[in-house]
Amino acid sequence: MDGSANRAGVDQHSDVDGRVAWRVAWITLALLSVSYGSPLLIVVGMRTMQESLGTDRSVIALAGSLVWVGTGAGGILMGWLADRIGLRTTVIFGACMIAAGLALSATGSVWAIYVGHGLMVGLLGNGAVYPPLLVYVTRWFHRRRGSAIALISSGQYVAGVLWPSLIEQGIAEVGWQWVMLGFGALVLVFVVPMTFFLRQAPGMATTAHGHLAGVVRRRVAGLPANLVQALLCVAGFCCCIPMSIPQAHLVAFCGDLGIRATHGAAMLSVMLAAAFLSRQAWGALADRIGGLRTVLAGSACQLVAIASFLLTQDEAGLFAVAAVFGLGFSGIIPAYSVAIRDLFPAAEASWRVPLTLFTAMSGMAFGSWFAGALYDHFGYYAPAFASGVGFNILNLMIIGFLVHRTASSRRSGLWSLVR
């Protein structure tokens, strides 16, 4: 019995960073490319839904924001739950909740959209899909962890390339409610069967039984470990506010400028396609220089890009700015996950990674809603983009401080690796 267990452990160890690990990463990318289409229904249909429901734009934007808050909050619970009831069961449950949430939202009332998107699509749906899958994939990689996280996190951008134009066309032909029902059915038909190709990751069984729970790092970079965690969470919140504004409001922004809805949806696809392509480069960079420094570099690029939205309202210029924005922001969130794995023990990943994602997604939610509220107050989007510049600068200050502390700690010999 002991010999069999040891052989199994050796086989699992040999799969780390290997062919099986990359197969798992590609399957995860496919799953997320479909599940992350669900938040885009509100992004693309925002103006149509606003007119249909006779409400303010910020009301619809808030529903989209609740998806991000729910996904992040749900990930903290679902990451813990996946270690106990199994990843496959957790992801299947999430797919069912996404479908049910879209069906509820399609009934056509504001409260149904809030409950359907915030609670079901977000908290119980994507919260049970993305954060657990992210932690799961990190356990398959060591040397190429940054590249792997960048790949699977690109599911959001693959979804952004595939779905906006199709969603816009569907809304024009059959209405937003039927599109929601149809997409919910697609999630069930695709995601549930794909989960059966997932296999147990190296170290998951040990972690689930708590054998690694005793590994604790009390100080990181010369600071209390949980203070570093808190700073990362605040930085993630601030960086995701500017990140969310173009993603949530670009199509509506283009419509206000007289740009056709089909061109606005295409612009969103261009931005997310650029994000997908560049994210692989950011992942490779994280493998070389570490997660924190990659966050710093990505945030600096994002600052330049978000400020550029204030400088042009020309359609061709906006296509260029959207592409640059996609190139800049795409590596930030995966790099936060790499930074958590760089700084903290692997046994703590199942709660530290989802907690960081929760605060980051809360920033996405706040930024989406806040931009809508600023638009309702001023009647145009320039104040929203200006607020994004301010929050981005605050994020850079925090990450710069942490990069300085980690570098100083390593030079002084106080850094100790606990994995």
Side-chain angles (χ1 to χ4, degrees):
M1 179 69 72
D2 291 343
S4 299
N6 289 337
R7 283 194 298 274
V10 171
D11 290 341
Q12 280 201 327
H13 182 73
S14 65
D15 288 335
V16 172
D17 286 305
R19 183 177 301 175
V20 174
W22 283 108
R23 186 182 306 129
V24 165
W26 281 103
I27 291 170
T28 302
L29 173 64
L31 287 168
L32 295 175
S33 298
V34 174
S35 70
Y36 262 120
S38 53
L40 294 173
L41 292 160
I42 281 184
V43 174
V44 176
M46 186 178 293
R47 294 185 77 213
T48 303
M49 294 174 67
Q50 177 191 358
E51 293 169 1
S52 173
L53 298 173
T55 187
D56 291 334
R57 188 165 300 180
S58 59
V59 172
I60 306 300
L62 178 58
S65 298
L66 291 174
V67 176
W68 294 110
V69 174
T71 299
I76 299 172
L77 170 64
M78 296 300 178
W80 171 85
L81 192 63
D83 280 348
R84 283 151 183 81
I85 68 172
L87 177 75
R88 182 180 299 134
T89 302
T90 306
V91 174
I92 289 174
F93 173 77
C96 293
M97 289 297 101
I98 291 172
L102 292 175
L104 177 61
S105 298
T107 59
S109 65
V110 172
W111 75 263
I113 293 172
Y114 282 170
V115 174
H117 275 72
L119 177 63
M120 302 176 76
V121 175
L123 184 75
L124 301 176
N126 281 308
V129 176
Y130 176 50
L133 281 173
L134 179 60
V135 174
Y136 166 74
V137 170
T138 67
R139 288 169 171 155
W140 281 98
F141 291 89
H142 179 62
R143 291 180 297 104
R144 302 296 305 280
R145 186 178 295 144
S147 298
I149 292 175
L151 176 66
I152 66 160
S153 297
S154 297
Q156 179 182 355
Y157 306 124
V158 175
V161 174
L162 290 176
W163 302 120
S165 294
L166 294 174
I167 291 170
E168 192 279 328
Q169 183 177 355
I171 290 173
E173 292 184 0
V174 300
W176 62 270
Q177 291 159 295
W178 282 106
V179 172
M180 284 190 177
L181 289 172
F183 200 91
L186 174 66
V187 170
L188 286 178
V189 170
F190 184 83
V191 172
V192 173
M194 286 292 288
T195 61
F196 290 93
F197 291 96
L198 300 174
R199 53 184 291 184
Q200 182 171 287
M204 284 188 71
T206 305
T207 302
H209 289 87
H211 294 172
L212 298 178
V215 181
V216 176
R217 178 183 293 170
R218 298 192 180 279
R219 297 188 72 81
V220 173
L223 299 170
N226 287 338
L227 174 59
V228 174
Q229 175 74 56
L231 289 173
L232 286 171
C233 288
V234 173
F237 182 87
C238 291
C239 85
C240 284
I241 292 173
M243 190 183 297
S244 70
I245 296 171
Q247 293 188 66
H249 292 273
L250 183 59
V251 177
F253 175 53
C254 289
D256 291 346
L257 297 177
I259 299 172
R260 294 172 57 186
T262 53
H263 291 189
M267 195 180 298
L268 179 63
S269 293
V270 166
M271 183 179 74
L272 297 179
F276 171 72
L277 294 174
S278 64
R279 177 161 278 187
Q280 313 317 306
W282 286 114
L285 182 65
D287 288 333
R288 295 179 65 86
I289 68 173
L292 270 182
R293 287 182 172 86
T294 304
V295 172
L296 186 66
S299 296
C301 293
Q302 179 177 265
L303 175 61
V304 173
I306 192 70
S308 297
F309 277 104
L310 293 167
L311 303 179
T312 182
Q313 295 186 352
D314 174 72
E315 182 174 347
L318 285 173
F319 265 103
V321 170
V324 172
F325 186 81
L327 293 171
F329 81 84
S330 60
I332 299 175
I333 297 302
Y336 272 107
S337 299
V338 176
I340 292 293
R341 289 302 314 271
D342 289 344
L343 297 171
F344 301 99
E348 300 176 7
S350 61
W351 70 270
R352 287 196 185 274
V353 171
L355 178 60
T356 306
L357 290 175
F358 167 62
T359 52
M361 290 178 180
S362 296
M364 294 286 290
F366 176 79
S368 175
W369 169 82
F370 189 52
L374 288 174
Y375 174 87
D376 288 339
H377 181 75
F378 291 100
Y380 57 102
Y381 275 109
F385 288 118
S387 72
V389 171
F391 281 107
N392 208 133
I393 291 172
L394 181 57
N395 165 67
L396 280 171
M397 293 172 62
I398 297 171
I399 295 299
F401 168 75
L402 289 176
V403 168
H404 172 72
R405 291 290 306 194
T406 55
S408 299
S409 180
R410 286 190 176 100
R411 286 196 300 268
S412 65
L414 296 176
W415 190 267
S416 62
L417 291 178
V418 181
R419 295 288 168 96

